[in-house]
Amino acid sequence: MAIRVAIIEDSQELATAIHRYLSQQGMIVTEVAHDGQAGQAVIQRADFDILLLDLILPSIDGLTLLKNDIPAERPYKVICFSAFGKESILNEALTLGGDYFLLKPVKLDVIAQNILRMTEHKDSDLLTDYFSQRLKGTQYIYEALSILEREPVKINHLTGELYPEIAKKFNVNKATIERAIRHSVEKAWNQGLEQHWQAEGRMIRPTTGELLEYLMR
């Protein structure tokens, strides 16, 4: 069954480009809204699997929609867009219920890759079963996987290339990325990832690089 996507984005040019690209990838764009008030109606109908939500909107902003109109328990995922990479905005969007955060300008293929990643079962096994979606480190892991999908060689250069690239996007330093990912992995390990890992006959705890490589499969 095709993935259904709704778009709430004030830039008509960007929304049209996303619509066209996702349609070419076999997805169905069910609705497009360009302001928060029209976005409320889209959310109420909830005829989608993924909601692409711009945080800066006319009439009602995306953070307010997350707070007041998007239920915590819902059958769809929310990917937030913002041109502002401040960590405070990221944290607020995720705290209010956003599932993932993309910093503008964002490439169309990256949007599609993240939609697929969030809807495919192989991704949900580990990343949603064991990793807290509210931790910054988990969001950085999603971004790391998106980068590695395009440039898998960077799995061999975590501190030299991968972490700095993520840090630049989220406007933090490399040490913050490394520390947050390590914290997220530690929490996941204690929430059942260790048993999952050992059930596959893997008795030695993986390094971050080994875990990322495993998640890439």
Side-chain angles (χ1 to χ4, degrees):
M1 182 179 295
I3 300 169
R4 298 168 301 153
V5 181
I7 303 169
I8 304 177
E9 163 63 53
D10 72 326
S11 168
Q12 294 190 25
E13 182 180 1
L14 177 57
T16 298
I18 295 172
H19 189 167
R20 183 183 301 115
Y21 186 83
L22 296 183
S23 298
Q24 291 170 351
Q25 306 306 306
M27 302 181 198
I28 298 173
V29 176
T30 60
E31 295 186 85
V32 178
H34 299 298
D35 62 67
Q37 188 171 1
Q40 284 181 316
V42 172
I43 292 166
Q44 288 170 4
R45 286 187 286 272
D47 184 28
F48 48 82
D49 305 302
I50 294 286
L51 175 62
L52 302 181
L53 176 65
D54 188 9
L55 297 183
I56 309 300
L57 295 167
S59 71
I60 305 172
D61 64 73
L63 290 174
T64 301
L65 290 176
L66 276 170
K67 182 177 180 180
N68 297 332
D69 297 278
I70 297 176
E73 298 297 327
R74 56 181 186 263
Y76 56 86
K77 300 287 188 181
V78 179
I79 298 178
C80 300
F81 292 156
S82 177
F84 301 98
K86 290 184 178 180
E87 195 166 354
S88 59
I89 296 176
L90 164 65
N91 290 339
E92 186 172 5
L94 298 178
T95 299
L96 290 173
D99 295 293
Y100 193 55
F101 185 95
L102 287 173
L103 185 64
K104 291 181 176 179
V106 58
K107 294 181 179 179
L108 299 177
D109 63 329
V110 172
I111 296 174
Q113 288 166 9
N114 280 282
I115 290 173
L116 290 172
R117 190 179 298 284
M118 297 180 77
T119 53
E120 288 178 355
H121 181 68
K122 69 168 187 173
D123 182 74
S124 67
D125 284 345
L126 293 183
L127 284 176
T128 63
D129 286 353
Y130 303 118
F131 287 80
S132 171
Q133 304 299 304
R134 298 293 178 260
L135 292 178
K136 293 189 293 293
T138 301
Q139 307 307 312
Y140 298 153
I141 289 172
Y142 275 111
E143 183 62 29
L145 293 172
S146 180
I147 294 169
L148 290 171
E149 189 168 335
R150 303 190 305 270
E151 302 175 86
V153 68
K154 289 188 177 180
I155 192 68
N156 299 316
H157 307 281
L158 297 186
T159 58
E161 296 183 23
L162 184 63
Y163 292 163
E165 184 172 343
I166 301 170
K168 183 178 180 181
K169 178 167 185 176
F170 288 95
N171 196 29
V172 297
N173 59 51
K174 181 180 72 173
T176 296
I177 298 297
E178 186 171 9
R179 184 167 55 250
I181 288 178
R182 192 164 54 240
H183 176 66
S184 184
V185 171
E186 183 69 29
K187 290 288 187 181
W189 194 254
N190 294 331
Q191 291 297 320
L193 180 58
E194 180 179 11
Q195 289 75 17
H196 177 96
W197 192 256
Q198 292 177 352
E200 294 194 359
R202 304 166 185 266
M203 296 298 111
I204 300 176
R205 181 169 177 166
T207 63
T208 300
E210 289 170 340
L211 183 58
L212 288 173
E213 192 168 16
Y214 178 80
L215 292 172
M216 287 169 61
R217 299 189 312 172

